[in-house]
Amino acid sequence: MDALQLKQLVAQAALKYVEPNTVLGVGTGSTVDCFLDALAAAGIPLKGAVSSSVRSEKKLREMGVPIVDMNDVTELSVYIDGADEIDPAFHLVKGGGGALTREKIVADISRQFVCIADASKMVGVLGKFPLPVEVLPMSREAVARKLTALGGQVKERAGFVTDNGNLILDVSGLAITDPVAMEQQINQWPGVVTNGLFALRKADVVLLGTPNGVETRS
Ligand code: 5RP
């Protein structure tokens, strides 16, 4: 089974978490694209969706799903999103698609975060995938110096501007043994919008696509 087929498999399995006629939280990425295709094919009616990116918003609109402003809801029952890395405690690295800030905001108001990924995203310790950090443009160099002092190698994501008008620094070489502490530490630096560690608000359920089928971990 190739990578796309594994994503389609978990996307299909995620449908059972969708509560019909509610507002759904929708993440971003190629796995979420597969999920949205599966959702459209299944014809499950939704009241609307709170989207974590312009990319997913466009796809949802094309499907005829009303986009709901997050300011108009207090809570979502379910948020479905992918990840770049998942550790055994369900801490995540996210932001490979650059949508980390809005993803973190939507995940935070959701009662259940269902993470969908192919099994290659499971790791023992986070940090092999470069950690994305969204920064205000004026703070790029100051934050990069701090990340270097932490032991990381920092690269600005070339030619990329987030949906919020900011930059992404991708940080490789970090061994993230305490994801909660690192998430908090980086997030308190001036100029950081957020970093791609989802440890304070981690996934509740992980659906993993494997050649033998979908593994559900919770
Ligand atoms: C986007 C994300 C994605 O969830 C993450 O990059 C995984 O993407 P894909 O499903 O394409 O592998 O965090 O900001």
mmCIF file of all heavy atoms in Angstrom, residues 1 5-7 9-10 116-120 207-215:
data_model
loop_
_atom_site.group_PDB
_atom_site.id
_atom_site.type_symbol
_atom_site.label_atom_id
_atom_site.label_comp_id
_atom_site.label_asym_id
_atom_site.label_seq_id
_atom_site.Cartn_x
_atom_site.Cartn_y
_atom_site.Cartn_z
ATOM 1 N N MET A 1 0.851 -1.207 0.000
ATOM 2 C CA MET A 1 0.000 0.000 0.000
ATOM 3 C C MET A 1 0.882 1.251 0.000
ATOM 4 O O MET A 1 1.824 1.320 0.789
ATOM 5 C CB MET A 1 -0.863 -0.005 1.268
ATOM 6 C CG MET A 1 -2.323 0.288 0.999
ATOM 7 S SD MET A 1 -3.281 0.331 2.515
ATOM 8 C CE MET A 1 -3.888 -1.344 2.564
ATOM 9 N N GLN A 5 -2.641 5.696 -0.212
ATOM 10 C CA GLN A 5 -3.660 4.692 0.172
ATOM 11 C C GLN A 5 -3.789 4.589 1.700
ATOM 12 O O GLN A 5 -4.884 4.432 2.225
ATOM 13 C CB GLN A 5 -3.308 3.328 -0.428
ATOM 14 C CG GLN A 5 -3.557 3.277 -1.923
ATOM 15 C CD GLN A 5 -2.974 2.027 -2.558
ATOM 16 O OE1 GLN A 5 -1.851 1.619 -2.246
ATOM 17 N NE2 GLN A 5 -3.722 1.409 -3.451
ATOM 18 N N LEU A 6 -2.638 4.726 2.406
ATOM 19 C CA LEU A 6 -2.689 4.681 3.876
ATOM 20 C C LEU A 6 -3.459 5.885 4.420
ATOM 21 O O LEU A 6 -4.244 5.783 5.369
ATOM 22 C CB LEU A 6 -1.275 4.651 4.462
ATOM 23 C CG LEU A 6 -0.467 3.375 4.199
ATOM 24 C CD1 LEU A 6 0.949 3.504 4.744
ATOM 25 C CD2 LEU A 6 -1.146 2.150 4.796
ATOM 26 N N LYS A 7 -3.249 7.042 3.778
ATOM 27 C CA LYS A 7 -3.973 8.246 4.210
ATOM 28 C C LYS A 7 -5.474 8.095 3.945
ATOM 29 O O LYS A 7 -6.313 8.481 4.760
ATOM 30 C CB LYS A 7 -3.433 9.478 3.470
ATOM 31 C CG LYS A 7 -2.053 9.888 3.937
ATOM 32 C CD LYS A 7 -1.478 11.024 3.110
ATOM 33 C CE LYS A 7 -0.006 11.211 3.487
ATOM 34 N NZ LYS A 7 0.618 12.332 2.817
ATOM 35 N N LEU A 9 -7.092 5.375 3.883
ATOM 36 C CA LEU A 9 -7.608 4.385 4.836
ATOM 37 C C LEU A 9 -7.970 5.038 6.178
ATOM 38 O O LEU A 9 -9.064 4.826 6.714
ATOM 39 C CB LEU A 9 -6.510 3.321 5.048
ATOM 40 C CG LEU A 9 -6.894 1.962 5.540
ATOM 41 C CD1 LEU A 9 -7.754 1.250 4.506
ATOM 42 C CD2 LEU A 9 -5.619 1.127 5.788
ATOM 43 N N VAL A 10 -7.057 5.848 6.717
ATOM 44 C CA VAL A 10 -7.362 6.506 8.007
ATOM 45 C C VAL A 10 -8.441 7.560 7.832
ATOM 46 O O VAL A 10 -9.243 7.800 8.731
ATOM 47 C CB VAL A 10 -6.145 7.170 8.693
ATOM 48 C CG1 VAL A 10 -5.307 6.175 9.416
ATOM 49 C CG2 VAL A 10 -5.338 8.001 7.769
ATOM 50 N N ILE A 116 -5.143 11.868 12.578
ATOM 51 C CA ILE A 116 -5.113 10.843 11.526
ATOM 52 C C ILE A 116 -3.773 10.904 10.802
ATOM 53 O O ILE A 116 -3.322 11.977 10.391
ATOM 54 C CB ILE A 116 -6.303 11.010 10.542
ATOM 55 C CG1 ILE A 116 -6.404 12.448 9.998
ATOM 56 C CG2 ILE A 116 -7.611 10.612 11.209
ATOM 57 C CD1 ILE A 116 -7.490 12.633 8.919
ATOM 58 N N ALA A 117 -3.132 9.750 10.653
ATOM 59 C CA ALA A 117 -1.795 9.739 10.052
ATOM 60 C C ALA A 117 -1.439 8.343 9.583
ATOM 61 O O ALA A 117 -2.016 7.359 10.039
ATOM 62 C CB ALA A 117 -0.768 10.190 11.092
ATOM 63 N N ASP A 118 -0.455 8.291 8.694
ATOM 64 C CA ASP A 118 0.059 6.962 8.373
ATOM 65 C C ASP A 118 1.086 6.589 9.444
ATOM 66 O O ASP A 118 1.645 7.452 10.117
ATOM 67 C CB ASP A 118 0.621 6.893 6.947
ATOM 68 C CG ASP A 118 1.861 7.719 6.794
ATOM 69 O OD1 ASP A 118 2.925 7.261 7.236
ATOM 70 O OD2 ASP A 118 1.777 8.840 6.252
ATOM 71 N N ALA A 119 1.311 5.302 9.606
ATOM 72 C CA ALA A 119 2.088 4.802 10.754
ATOM 73 C C ALA A 119 3.526 5.313 10.780
ATOM 74 O O ALA A 119 4.171 5.290 11.833
ATOM 75 C CB ALA A 119 2.062 3.280 10.752
ATOM 76 N N SER A 120 4.033 5.824 9.656
ATOM 77 C CA SER A 120 5.418 6.332 9.629
ATOM 78 C C SER A 120 5.584 7.569 10.507
ATOM 79 O O SER A 120 6.696 7.959 10.849
ATOM 80 C CB SER A 120 5.826 6.677 8.192
ATOM 81 O OG SER A 120 5.107 7.823 7.755
ATOM 82 N N LEU A 207 -5.480 7.659 14.924
ATOM 83 C CA LEU A 207 -5.801 6.610 13.950
ATOM 84 C C LEU A 207 -4.604 6.486 13.021
ATOM 85 O O LEU A 207 -4.207 7.463 12.371
ATOM 86 C CB LEU A 207 -7.045 6.990 13.133
ATOM 87 C CG LEU A 207 -8.334 7.270 13.911
ATOM 88 C CD1 LEU A 207 -9.475 7.611 12.945
ATOM 89 C CD2 LEU A 207 -8.729 6.075 14.764
ATOM 90 N N LEU A 208 -4.014 5.296 13.001
ATOM 91 C CA LEU A 208 -2.798 5.087 12.214
ATOM 92 C C LEU A 208 -3.072 4.153 11.044
ATOM 93 O O LEU A 208 -3.592 3.041 11.244
ATOM 94 C CB LEU A 208 -1.724 4.441 13.088
ATOM 95 C CG LEU A 208 -1.069 5.317 14.153
ATOM 96 C CD1 LEU A 208 -0.089 4.472 14.955
ATOM 97 C CD2 LEU A 208 -0.360 6.503 13.518
ATOM 98 N N GLY A 209 -2.701 4.600 9.867
ATOM 99 C CA GLY A 209 -2.838 3.745 8.684
ATOM 100 C C GLY A 209 -1.635 2.820 8.582
ATOM 101 O O GLY A 209 -0.494 3.282 8.545
ATOM 102 N N THR A 210 -1.899 1.523 8.583
ATOM 103 C CA THR A 210 -0.812 0.541 8.429
ATOM 104 C C THR A 210 -1.198 -0.385 7.266
ATOM 105 O O THR A 210 -2.381 -0.474 6.909
ATOM 106 C CB THR A 210 -0.624 -0.317 9.704
ATOM 107 O OG1 THR A 210 -1.613 -1.366 9.693
ATOM 108 C CG2 THR A 210 -0.773 0.496 10.984
ATOM 109 N N PRO A 211 -0.223 -1.097 6.716
ATOM 110 C CA PRO A 211 -0.551 -2.018 5.609
ATOM 111 C C PRO A 211 -1.564 -3.087 6.028
ATOM 112 O O PRO A 211 -2.225 -3.692 5.189
ATOM 113 C CB PRO A 211 0.800 -2.647 5.262
ATOM 114 C CG PRO A 211 1.816 -1.681 5.774
ATOM 115 C CD PRO A 211 1.218 -1.021 6.981
ATOM 116 N N ASN A 212 -1.696 -3.296 7.357
ATOM 117 C CA ASN A 212 -2.667 -4.304 7.834
ATOM 118 C C ASN A 212 -4.013 -3.701 8.231
ATOM 119 O O ASN A 212 -4.852 -4.391 8.809
ATOM 120 C CB ASN A 212 -2.099 -5.057 9.043
ATOM 121 C CG ASN A 212 -0.795 -5.730 8.711
ATOM 122 O OD1 ASN A 212 -0.666 -6.287 7.618
ATOM 123 N ND2 ASN A 212 0.167 -5.658 9.608
ATOM 124 N N GLY A 213 -4.179 -2.426 7.992
ATOM 125 C CA GLY A 213 -5.445 -1.782 8.339
ATOM 126 C C GLY A 213 -5.219 -0.608 9.272
ATOM 127 O O GLY A 213 -4.081 -0.175 9.480
ATOM 128 N N VAL A 214 -6.309 -0.109 9.858
ATOM 129 C CA VAL A 214 -6.215 1.067 10.724
ATOM 130 C C VAL A 214 -6.076 0.632 12.173
ATOM 131 O O VAL A 214 -6.845 -0.193 12.664
ATOM 132 C CB VAL A 214 -7.464 1.966 10.562
ATOM 133 C CG1 VAL A 214 -7.433 3.120 11.572
ATOM 134 C CG2 VAL A 214 -7.531 2.514 9.153
ATOM 135 N N GLU A 215 -5.067 1.203 12.811
ATOM 136 C CA GLU A 215 -4.852 0.943 14.245
ATOM 137 C C GLU A 215 -5.424 2.136 14.996
ATOM 138 O O GLU A 215 -5.050 3.276 14.704
ATOM 139 C CB GLU A 215 -3.356 0.884 14.467
ATOM 140 C CG GLU A 215 -2.883 -0.156 15.431
ATOM 141 C CD GLU A 215 -1.373 -0.085 15.552
ATOM 142 O OE1 GLU A 215 -0.689 -0.673 14.694
ATOM 143 O OE2 GLU A 215 -0.899 0.591 16.488
#
